[in-house]
Amino acid sequence: MSDVRVLVVEDEPLLAEAHKAYTERVPGFVVVGVAHTARDAMAALRQRGGTDVDLVLLDFRLPDLHGLDVCRALRAAGSSVDVLAVTSARDLAVVRTAVSLGVTHYLLKPFTFAAFRDKLERYAEYRRQALADGEVGAQHEVDRMFATLRGATRHTLPKGLDEQTLHAVLAALGDGGLSATEVGHRTGISRVTARRYLEYLVSADRAVRAPRYGTPGRPEVEYRPT
């Protein structure tokens, strides 16, 4: 699947650059534009025909228009671009309206890079499932898609596994096939621990395992992200 193309909309130039840098640190995401006002954001989307942007990182408190009004304008124009709200707005009415307008995630400022990365990775996994060919075969597949997007699976890690190390293992895995030993070397954990995380990723349909041939002795098992 091609990279997720992101438009950053943030009125504070320093924050806009920080969000751009954060986004480009997450594999599979590329920033295609930065806007500091609602007008600039809408112009950028119109100029690109709405087809070159997959995700908008949208600050709600813009100088010329509220972010919710930007969402309304997008939907009224027939745009299906996804929106991740990056805002300090804590009003529950704003949150409810954001959900009703199809905002995929709501990230409160200030936030850490880990929290930001988690939102993008969940969105990427949801997008991978949603854009697959064919149709869903059963209810549990639909449930899994929504659980991935909403983060319902965050608290289901087996005992002894933690999110921070899981992210490190995923980052080490990258796009290529690695053994548990190689992942352990890259992350600084033992081979046994790395294998536990890798097997969890396989069980969660986020990685696949396959034998690696061409080495002496028994074939080694290698893991690849799905």
Side-chain angles (χ1 to χ4, degrees):
M1 180 179 293
S2 59
D3 288 343
V4 177
R5 297 159 299 187
V6 179
L7 174 67
V8 174
V9 184
E10 166 61 56
D11 66 322
E12 293 288 343
L14 288 178
L15 284 180
E17 285 303 310
H19 295 171
K20 179 178 184 291
Y22 271 11
T23 301
E24 294 184 335
R25 284 175 61 187
V26 182
F29 289 82
V30 58
V31 175
V32 296
V34 176
H36 300 299
T37 66
R39 176 178 295 180
D40 289 345
M42 297 300 294
L45 290 168
R46 283 195 300 269
Q47 183 179 8
R48 295 175 175 276
T51 59
D52 290 341
V53 176
D54 303 308
L55 179 66
V56 178
L57 300 186
L58 181 62
D59 179 21
F60 275 2
R61 293 176 174 172
L62 299 171
D64 54 342
L65 199 65
H66 195 282
L68 289 177
D69 292 321
V70 174
C71 293
R72 291 188 182 97
L74 288 172
R75 300 314 176 216
S79 173
S80 60
V81 66
D82 291 320
V83 175
L84 192 164
V86 182
T87 178
S88 57
R90 287 169 165 76
D91 191 324
L92 285 176
V94 173
V95 176
R96 289 194 300 270
T97 304
V99 171
S100 71
L101 291 171
V103 171
T104 59
H105 279 304
Y106 198 102
L107 183 59
L108 284 174
K109 299 176 183 177
F111 51 83
T112 63
F113 172 67
F116 182 84
R117 179 182 60 194
D118 180 71
K119 297 295 186 186
L120 291 193
E121 288 178 345
R122 290 188 183 280
Y123 170 77
E125 176 60 17
Y126 160 78
R127 180 178 170 81
R128 183 190 68 80
Q129 297 176 45
L131 294 184
D133 293 332
E135 59 184 38
V136 294
Q139 178 65 44
H140 75 273
E141 295 180 18
V142 177
D143 293 340
R144 183 176 64 183
M145 288 175 59
F146 277 88
T148 298
L149 184 61
R150 299 306 179 191
T153 58
R154 168 174 287 277
H155 302 292
T156 61
L157 282 180
K159 185 176 181 181
L161 304 190
D162 67 83
E163 290 283 349
Q164 185 174 354
T165 305
L166 183 65
H167 283 306
V169 170
L170 274 170
L173 206 54
D175 296 323
L178 294 176
S179 68
T181 300
E182 291 164 339
V183 170
H185 286 161
R186 292 193 180 192
T187 57
I189 59 179
S190 70
R191 179 187 64 82
V192 173
T193 300
R195 187 174 183 278
R196 287 191 63 202
Y197 280 93
L198 291 165
E199 288 297 323
Y200 167 75
L201 291 172
V202 170
S203 69
D205 294 327
R206 300 179 70 180
V208 293
R209 72 169 83 83
R212 176 190 290 174
Y213 297 100
T215 56
R218 295 172 53 191
E220 192 172 18
V221 175
E222 68 175 23
Y223 300 82
R224 292 180 180 274
T226 53

